[in-house]
Amino acid sequence: MPAALRRIDVHQHVTPPFYGALLTQAGIAEAGGRALPDWNPGAALESMDLLGTATAMVSVSTPGTGFLTDPAEAAGLARRLNDFSAALAADHPGRFGWFATLPMPDAEAAVNEARRALLSLGADGVTLLANTQGVYLGAPGQDALWRCLDEHGAVVFVHPAELPAPAIKDIPPFAADFLLDTTRAAYLLVRGGIVRDHPNIRFVLSHGGGFVPYASHRMAVTIANDTGRCPLDVLDDFQSFYFDTALSSSPAALPTLLGFARPGHVLFGSDWPFAPTAAGQYFTAGLDTHVDPDTLTAVSRTNAEALFPRLAARPPAAPARPLSARLRRSVHRAGARLAFKLVQPGAD
């Protein structure tokens, strides 16, 4: 990838060792049906270099702090996770940004931690799970949180969690339920007027927005019937969201996403390390192959620069890689493009 197109990845996860240990202690061995991945900064940077990523915005995936039932323990864990992410970004200038973990569903504690992370730690935004302990974004009692985030013009990265219902046998939650969970949260944020009443919040929906682009008109008509609002106004609220391309830049999904989203509202995402490197290569190859150069530049970098102006001044230089590593990367990327064309109908 040319240096001018070096990507900004808004959907990459961090799993600090102490967090993995706490999850294991709580009997949690997977998230969304995927085993908890090993994580370290070196592996993250290696994956980023392979995908041509200059900067990754890291976040903590599901279950966040939601596996803790004691609100004080959840707030303490959020602080610890955010201190870790801030140190990671400081230790690797230009390579990592981060979204703060908030101890939902305790909205008051979430407000306190959001202010600390945004004002004192320099977070690039906050992460909110679509639901925490069955409480969805857009539920009553969250007004103070939305006012706080609107006041600070925050970027809010909305990531799915497991549905508050039993999983269906042979359907891992990440494969389908995650998309529904994101869609539910987006629906409630629009139906409750949160998106319209707090225009300074920039909401980023994971995984291409779940089912939002595909079902947007159907949902807009439903909300209009329920609330008496104009369907076009409701649709406009759905189009105010930003969307990342994690696991979504296929020839089936990408045209719908690009056709629905406002210009500038589609951002690159990899979902590493929950999505293994091979999956990242596969979907990145789809993006590189099936959009025009201007769109590729926008999705890969410049749309994110508008959300995170501190990254717009000068792309951070990646360290020089040995010739053998560069050749290996070229072979991997060529193989991913070939595999993408072979398995996707009509992709050539």
Side-chain angles (χ1 to χ4, degrees):
M1 168 175 248
L5 292 180
R6 291 189 59 78
R7 306 182 209 269
I8 297 171
D9 184 351
V10 303
H11 189 156
Q12 187 178 130
H13 294 300
V14 61
T15 308
F18 70 84
Y19 182 63
L22 286 173
L23 292 176
T24 300
Q25 183 179 341
I28 300 171
E30 59 182 34
R34 294 198 66 87
L36 297 175
D38 292 329
W39 177 91
N40 64 73
L45 291 168
E46 183 176 348
S47 174
M48 290 162 62
D49 291 344
L50 186 63
L51 297 181
T53 298
T55 304
M57 295 291 170
V58 298
S59 58
V60 174
S61 186
T62 184
T65 66
F67 67 100
L68 297 172
T69 56
D70 185 306
E73 290 185 7
L77 178 56
R79 288 192 295 270
R80 193 175 176 190
L81 289 167
N82 293 334
D83 290 342
F84 179 93
S85 295
L88 174 69
D91 289 344
H92 302 275
R95 299 310 306 275
F96 293 109
W98 61 287
F99 296 137
T101 298
L102 302 185
M104 295 290 280
D106 186 336
E108 182 179 353
V111 168
N112 292 336
E113 186 58 20
R115 286 184 175 140
R116 188 183 82 95
L118 293 169
L119 298 178
S120 299
L121 299 182
D124 292 287
V126 304
T127 304
L128 289 175
L129 297 181
N131 90 86
T132 304
Q133 300 174 6
V135 179
Y136 272 90
L137 302 182
Q142 299 171 357
D143 291 350
L145 177 61
W146 305 128
R147 287 195 299 270
C148 170
L149 297 175
D150 186 73
E151 175 188 346
H152 295 295
V155 175
V156 175
F157 178 62
V158 179
H159 192 278
E162 296 190 24
L163 296 177
I168 302 300
K169 186 178 182 297
D170 296 329
I171 304 179
F174 75 87
D177 293 353
F178 268 18
L179 304 177
L180 175 58
D181 201 48
T182 300
T183 304
R184 285 178 169 182
Y187 188 102
L188 292 171
L189 289 170
V190 169
R191 190 187 189 284
I194 294 160
V195 169
R196 183 162 291 258
D197 293 342
H198 301 90
N200 295 320
I201 301 176
R202 281 76 55 80
F203 289 98
V204 180
L205 301 183
S206 302
H207 309 119
F211 303 131
V212 167
Y214 180 80
S216 54
H217 288 256
R218 176 175 180 157
M219 294 191 296
V221 169
T222 302
I223 291 173
N225 286 338
D226 287 347
T227 64
R229 295 173 57 194
C230 172
L232 294 180
D233 288 343
V234 179
L235 193 63
D236 186 63
D237 288 349
F238 277 115
Q239 288 183 301
S240 73
F241 289 117
Y242 290 76
F243 307 85
D244 77 49
T245 64
L247 305 179
S248 302
S249 48
S250 70
L254 193 57
T256 301
L257 175 58
L258 292 172
F260 173 75
R262 288 179 184 170
H265 280 227
V266 179
L267 314 164
F268 176 75
S270 71
D271 208 354
W272 189 89
F274 283 92
T277 299
Q281 290 179 282
Y282 175 86
F283 285 100
T284 300
L287 176 64
D288 290 348
T289 303
H290 293 291
V291 299
D292 62 82
D294 288 342
T295 301
L296 179 60
T297 300
V299 173
S300 296
R301 183 167 190 94
T302 55
N303 291 347
E305 287 180 334
L307 278 182
F308 310 106
R310 71 178 183 82
L311 300 178
R314 181 174 59 87
R321 294 169 59 84
L323 177 61
S324 60
R326 296 200 301 272
L327 291 173
R328 186 166 61 251
R329 174 186 169 186
S330 296
V331 170
H332 286 167
R333 290 171 66 82
R337 284 195 173 92
L338 177 60
F340 190 87
K341 289 184 178 181
L342 289 174
V343 302
Q344 290 293 339
D348 52 6

